[in-house]
Amino acid sequence: MAREVWFVLPPRFMLLDFAGPAEAMRIATEFGADFQLHYAACDVQTSCSLGLPLGGLQPLPVQLPDDSLIIIPGADCSAEAYALPEARRIVGWLNSCFDPQRHVLATICSAALLAGMAGLLAHRQCTTHHSLITRLQDSDNSASVLENRVFVQDGAVWTSAGITAGIDLALQLISQLASPAITREVAREMVVYFRRSGQDVQLSPWLAHRNHLHPAVHKVQDLIAASPEQDWSLSALAGQVHVSVRHLSRLFREHAGVSVHDYHLALRAARANQWRTAGLSKEKAALAAGFSSARQWQRVQAAAKVS
């Protein structure tokens, strides 16, 4: 029998939290995954974070078949949205219908708070969007809230960070519930270049050290980020932004807060991790990222942990 997948939409749901995973699941069925998709809410029509109405929704099911997957997207202004009667009804429905022995629950972004309100995160590891970590911790002191994680699985309950992390979570669910081969086809169809794993951080190294306004430093960072496997020399980078090597080194440390060399190594390590997740061996992942060997990559990782 087909596995039933229920998208349960809270009031003011984030459109991308819903649409990204829903499209991933839909595309998976085109490649052979045996999923039957349902879209439910407290009312037959609700509105998303963009104010667009979505109609034709099913009511919350009274009973869930065995092996059902429930996916709940997060909501905009969740503190207000989850105080609404509709959100409270979803919490009550989870309490009465979700059975971790028979079902799987996946929450995206702030929807982890709804699971917490339903008591489903008690004594479990979980995560959410980085801006909501404290609220999730406060919602259930027994939960082990992990910071800066893309998604976390603890038994039948999956929780994830916000927005695009929902796509990463959906791909992982497809891999487990259908097959890795179907997941690769879905990722290719969706043009997801690298799938993030649950161990990846929310705050990407590709965005680190970019909270400044210096155009020359940003240009150098763009060059390195576009091709971290390249052997960028200080003189080559300085020539691209028309400054001396000494001046570039000073500007980079002053505005980015790190040396050019360390920034380059951090992005190489991130690229190697991506290649490792994509299925390459440690040695091949290291070489593809520009390291001389897996041992050099390991030394860089060890140094980063120490610092």
Side-chain angles (χ1 to χ4, degrees):
M1 294 180 62
R3 181 184 296 271
E4 294 199 7
V5 180
W6 286 86
F7 285 89
V8 176
L9 306 181
R12 304 180 188 174
F13 69 93
M14 295 284 289
L15 185 57
L16 188 54
D17 279 1
F18 163 57
E23 283 293 347
M25 290 287 174
R26 181 193 65 80
I27 294 169
T29 65
E30 296 182 349
F31 288 105
D34 198 8
F35 298 149
Q36 184 176 355
L37 306 185
H38 303 273
Y39 310 102
C42 293
D43 299 307
V44 294
Q45 179 171 304
T46 189
S47 294
C48 69
S49 54
L50 299 178
L52 297 172
L54 183 64
L57 299 170
Q58 296 177 246
L60 299 176
V62 177
Q63 291 183 326
L64 289 167
D66 287 356
D67 298 322
S68 291
L69 167 62
I70 306 164
I71 301 177
I72 309 180
D76 183 37
C77 299
S78 59
E80 297 177 7
Y82 295 161
L84 295 173
E86 297 93 328
R88 299 292 178 174
R89 283 177 58 192
I90 291 174
V91 171
W93 175 78
L94 284 170
N95 268 318
S96 62
C97 287
F98 174 72
D99 181 350
Q101 302 302 317
R102 300 168 50 230
H103 309 132
V104 176
L105 172 66
T107 67
I108 300 165
C109 197
S110 65
L113 295 167
L114 293 175
M117 293 163 64
L120 301 178
L121 300 183
H123 308 291
R124 293 185 187 273
Q125 291 188 335
C126 56
T127 195
T128 187
H129 188 273
H130 57 83
S131 67
L132 302 172
I133 290 293
T134 300
R135 282 178 58 197
L136 188 58
Q137 290 172 331
D138 292 342
S139 70
D140 188 337
N141 291 330
S142 73
S144 175
V145 182
L146 304 183
E147 300 185 43
N148 209 18
R149 294 280 293 276
V150 174
F151 58 80
V152 172
Q153 178 193 12
D154 192 325
V157 178
W158 297 69
T159 51
S160 76
I163 316 298
T164 58
I167 297 175
D168 297 299
L169 174 56
L171 291 172
Q172 184 64 31
L173 288 167
I174 293 167
S175 181
Q176 286 205 5
L177 303 179
S179 74
I182 290 177
T183 306
R184 287 193 292 271
E185 295 296 334
V186 174
R188 184 178 296 112
E189 182 72 15
M190 297 181 73
V191 200
V192 179
Y193 182 49
F194 277 111
R195 287 174 51 206
R196 291 182 293 180
S197 73
Q199 302 302 317
D200 285 333
V201 298
Q202 292 181 35
L203 303 179
S204 168
W206 308 97
L207 301 179
H209 307 291
R210 302 296 296 251
N211 190 24
H212 61 85
L213 299 176
H214 200 285
V217 177
H218 274 305
K219 183 174 181 180
V220 169
Q221 290 175 305
D222 289 342
L223 289 167
I224 296 173
S227 184
E229 64 279 359
Q230 184 171 330
D231 287 325
W232 289 106
S233 66
L234 270 175
S235 59
L237 292 169
Q240 289 287 333
V241 293
H242 311 293
V243 297
S244 68
V245 168
R246 171 182 271 184
H247 191 48
L248 173 61
S249 297
R250 183 186 64 78
L251 285 176
F252 205 95
R253 185 171 289 280
E254 177 184 345
H255 293 278
V258 66
S259 71
V260 176
H261 176 71
D262 288 345
Y263 181 78
H264 190 187
L265 287 180
L267 292 196
R268 274 191 173 174
R271 179 55 56 83
N273 281 321
Q274 290 176 328
W275 281 120
R276 190 78 177 97
T277 300
L280 295 187
S281 67
K282 288 183 178 179
E283 190 68 29
K284 288 184 177 179
L287 294 175
F291 290 111
S292 60
S293 65
R295 180 174 296 180
Q296 186 195 19
W297 175 24
Q298 290 172 343
R299 287 200 298 266
V300 169
Q301 290 180 308
K305 290 179 181 179
V306 170
S307 62

